């Protein structure tokens, strides 16, 4: 199956990133290469485009797709290592970085990856399949208290305690191996009246397990700070999120980087020496148009935030 991922908020992201001829740009979540291709069109042969993804399928696809471009580098790695990746490639600073967070259309649609609650498959959910720990390990090895915490915090699921209890009871009989088994357990755990309203009953638990297995939230804030650190003055960072937990981290991290002196107002001279690092370009997040949502329903929850690196002077 070809790694296809319909890029969300493509026009808006490229407008905010504003790629320049001859510039150096990083797509930290390469996926199907939709944003990457638009960047390539604008930077010309003098520019450089660096794509990073921890999914080997995405990396393999991109290396084939962009093999004719001599100014492209595709790296199989985690964006949390962005500073080391760029240093190893010989780049000190870049002109822009894009993050398109969350799971890709390919990962959801490729049933054997085990991300989707809509089709029965081996319970996996690893974005980087070279890592050992999977969703199967999580549901079969974690204790009830930890499972409930993960489902509650990362899935914002009100029935987290009950779902964790049902998982622990079921795995006493036999290990939980497949997504279909987990969906049935979740449906059994959530009262019928609650299942009749809102999204699919398994959506929040599957989201929570995916976030936990791939360490998505724990690495995010520091990764954004590292990305800003490698930007040239005037360089831009664009971040697309798909749920409130991610968006909250992005919003607060950019806000923190945009703050100057934090000394109390009654202190006559600044002692914290804190300088504003960025100017936030999106006081409110950019949302997809109604037209885009109609064409691509997965864009519905997307939010785009962007910031520009300030001069260190």
């Amino acid at each position: 199956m070809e790694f296809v991922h319909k890029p969300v908020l493509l026009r808006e992201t490229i407008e905010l990133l504003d790629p320049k001829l001859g510039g150096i740009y990083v797509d930290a979540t390469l996926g199907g290469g939709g944003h990457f291709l638009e960047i390539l069109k604008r930077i010309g042969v003098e520019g450089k485009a660096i794509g990073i993804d921890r999914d080997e399928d995405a990396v393999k696809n991109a290396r084939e797709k962009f093999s004719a471009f001599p100014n492209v580098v595709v790296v199989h790695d985690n964006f949390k290592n962005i500073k080391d990746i760029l240093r190893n490639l010989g780049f000190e600073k870049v002109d822009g970085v894009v993050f398109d967070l969350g799971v890709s259309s390919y990962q959801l649609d490729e049933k054997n990856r085990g991300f989707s609650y809509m089709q029965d498959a081996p319970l996996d959910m690893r974005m980087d399949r070279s890592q050992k720990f999977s969703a199967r390990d999580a549901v079969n090895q974690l204790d009830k208290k930890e499972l409930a915490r993960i489902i509650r915090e990362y899935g914002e699921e009100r029935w987290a305690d009950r779902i964790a209890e049902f998982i622990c009871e079921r795995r006493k009989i036999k290990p939980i191996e497949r997504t279909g088994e987990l969906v049935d357990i979740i449906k059994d755990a959530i009262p019928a009246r609650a299942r009749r309203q809102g999204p699919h009953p398994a959506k929040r638990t599957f989201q929570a397990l995916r976030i936990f297995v791939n360490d998505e939230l724990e690495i995010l804030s520091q990764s954004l700070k590292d990305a800003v650190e490698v930007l040239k003055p005037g360089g831009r960072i664009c971040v697309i999120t798909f749920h409130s937990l991610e968006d909250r981290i992005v919003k607060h991290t950019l806000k923190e980087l945009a703050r100057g002196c934090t000394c109390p107002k009654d202190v006559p001279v600044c002692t914290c020496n804190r300088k504003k690092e960025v100017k936030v370009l999106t006081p409110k997040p950019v949302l997809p148009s109604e037209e885009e949502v109609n064409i691509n329903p997965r864009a519905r929850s997307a939010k785009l935030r962007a910031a520009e690196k300030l001069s260190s002077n």
Side-chain angles (χ1 to χ4, degrees), residues 33-85:
H35 295 102
F36 198 67
L37 180 60
E38 290 304 311
I39 291 167
L40 270 172
K41 289 176 183 176
R42 287 160 174 77
I43 63 175
V45 292
E46 306 89 356
K48 198 80 175 180
I50 301 147
I52 303 167
D53 207 294
R54 55 172 152 176
D55 189 316
E56 58 266 49
D57 288 350
V59 169
K60 182 183 176 186
N61 175 73
R63 284 177 176 158
E64 292 173 2
K65 187 173 182 177
F66 300 111
S67 60
F69 295 85
N71 57 337
V72 163
V73 180
V74 177
V75 181
H76 180 214
D77 207 330
N78 191 313
F79 61 61
K80 70 179 181 180
N81 302 316
I82 188 168
K83 285 175 23 179
D84 288 338
I85 292 166

Side-chain angles (χ1 to χ4, degrees), residues 92-157:
E92 283 189 28
K93 299 289 181 182
V94 300
D95 296 288
V97 184
V98 174
F99 290 83
D100 182 2
L101 301 172
V103 67
S104 72
S105 300
Y106 168 86
Q107 289 165 332
L108 284 171
D109 294 337
E110 178 60 27
K111 100 177 213 183
N112 288 330
R113 300 299 298 271
F115 283 98
S116 176
Y117 47 80
M118 299 301 288
Q119 45 194 355
D120 184 47
L123 192 54
D124 191 335
M125 301 194 197
R126 292 170 299 164
M127 290 181 177
D128 180 352
R129 285 183 287 182
S130 67
Q131 81 174 42
K132 291 182 179 177
F133 193 80
S134 69
R136 180 191 181 280
D137 297 316
V139 299
N140 288 294
Q141 295 175 14
L142 299 177
D143 64 38
K144 183 167 71 174
K145 187 176 179 182
E146 178 66 356
L147 265 176
R149 181 194 69 80
I150 289 163
I151 296 168
R152 185 184 310 107
E153 290 184 12
Y154 297 158
E156 300 179 294
E157 172 58 76

Side-chain angles (χ1 to χ4, degrees), residues 116-120 123 170 176 178-190 195 200-203 206:
S116 176
Y117 47 80
M118 299 301 288
Q119 45 194 355
D120 184 47
L123 192 54
R170 193 69 61 89
I176 301 163
R178 300 186 68 82
T179 56
E181 293 175 72
L182 183 57
V183 168
D184 288 342
I185 293 166
I186 295 165
K187 285 181 176 177
D188 288 344
I190 299 176
R195 291 202 310 269
H200 190 287
K203 180 179 180 179
F206 269 63

